[in-house]
Amino acid sequence: MLWRGQFKLGMIMALVGTGPAFSHGLWLDARPPGLVVSMGHSDRLDPFSDAQVTFLGAQRFDGSDIAITRIPAPEWTIQRNPDVAAITMSYRGAVWGQAPDGTWIEGARGSDPRSPVWGRFDKYLTTLLKPGMNIGRLATTRLQILPLSDPLTLKRSDLLSVRVLFDGKPLVGAGLAPDYANNADVKSVVTDANGVGLVRIQNQGLNTIGVTHYEQIAQPAEVDFIEHIAILSFGLRPISHWPGWLNPMTREAIRAKQKN
């Protein structure tokens, strides 16, 4: 299946799965045979449905759109392309209520009197695949974490400034989870008056910075609120793969040769 730049779909099917994908984010894993879309968190991954993707954008380094291809695989997988520098996605969740005992209930708003409120759980993804992307030209989603510098030029423990935007405006006081896929509960960074937060990079590998925002609906029809979850993901190469890195055996051999 070929996805060209951006697209929008009409009516959305109900969420596939046995439970609500609340507080679950989206990210891309670089796994053979391509880039695998994961939805969930450290101890659970949820089924992913084409019908619930409402936006998908792939961009070159200069920000221009480029086609990407879905390849046959057991998981939702995108073919790797050396010209793709960034991928952006929006995913519309299903409607759920919750009973006082914590039981989740899927259905239309008001369909079960046990639930006092009903919500929809939407997800957004921004993935940087290669250094050098024109970050100012990234495709936008309703909730988004934008890096203020290129994270692919950094390493573990470096600090990265990011801005959180909701409907294009800075989101103040938003809690950022530096390692959402592995520890979604820890939101150790709070955005300032400009929607900016300083996040310490957690992994010399896959990084998933996440944020959650609840939108109250003033005149509820379908839902009383929408939970928005956005993730900025990027992968850092192990330092042992950096140009010029020498393994310990090589270093020892060089030192021994220099002594002689």
Side-chain angles (χ1 to χ4, degrees), residues 167-218:
D167 286 342
K169 299 178 181 178
L171 192 59
V172 180
L176 287 159
D179 193 10
Y180 187 95
N182 295 306
N183 201 348
D185 293 331
V186 174
K187 299 176 176 66
S188 57
V189 178
V190 177
T191 58
D192 64 15
N194 297 309
V196 174
L198 195 60
V199 179
R200 192 171 298 280
I201 293 176
Q202 300 295 300
N203 302 305
Q204 198 68 38
L206 177 64
N207 287 272
T208 53
I209 301 170
V211 66
T212 301
H213 175 62
Y214 288 93
E215 177 188 12
Q216 296 285 340
I217 306 302

Side-chain angles (χ1 to χ4, degrees), residues 9 24 55 74 90 96 111-112 127 137 141 178 240 252:
L9 300 176
H24 296 180
F55 174 93
S90 297
W96 292 83
S111 61
D112 191 312
T127 294
R137 296 288 305 277
T141 57
S240 61
E252 288 300 320

Side-chain angles (χ1 to χ4, degrees), residues 117 166 213-220 223-228:
V117 294
F166 182 67
H213 175 62
Y214 288 93
E215 177 188 12
Q216 296 285 340
I217 306 302
Q219 296 179 324
V223 293
D224 299 286
F225 68 91
I226 301 174
E227 182 195 69
H228 302 273

Side-chain angles (χ1 to χ4, degrees), residues 43-160:
D43 68 338
R44 171 176 172 172
L45 293 179
D46 296 297
F48 186 90
S49 169
D50 272 349
Q52 291 170 250
V53 177
T54 57
F55 174 93
L56 179 63
Q59 296 174 284
R60 299 179 179 88
F61 293 91
D62 63 1
S64 60
D65 290 344
I66 184 173
I68 52 176
T69 304
R70 164 94 185 273
I71 57 179
E75 300 168 291
W76 210 92
T77 306
I78 298 169
Q79 186 175 44
R80 300 203 69 151
N81 181 333
D83 295 324
V84 174
I87 292 176
T88 309
M89 180 181 290
S90 297
Y91 190 89
R92 182 177 171 119
V95 175
W96 292 83
Q98 194 172 23
D101 66 358
T103 301
W104 286 93
I105 309 158
E106 184 180 12
R109 179 175 178 267
S111 61
D112 191 312
R114 291 177 297 164
S115 180
V117 294
W118 295 77
R120 199 180 74 218
F121 301 86
D122 294 353
K123 298 105 179 37
Y124 313 92
L125 167 67
T126 299
T127 294
L128 297 178
L129 297 171
K130 293 180 178 296
M133 170 69 192
N134 184 343
I135 293 171
R137 296 288 305 277
L138 280 167
T140 60
T141 57
R142 285 202 69 193
L143 180 64
Q144 189 167 32
I145 303 172
L146 293 176
L148 298 182
S149 61
D150 190 344
L152 294 173
T153 64
L154 303 178
K155 62 182 184 300
R156 182 180 179 275
S157 295
D158 284 348
L159 292 171
L160 172 68

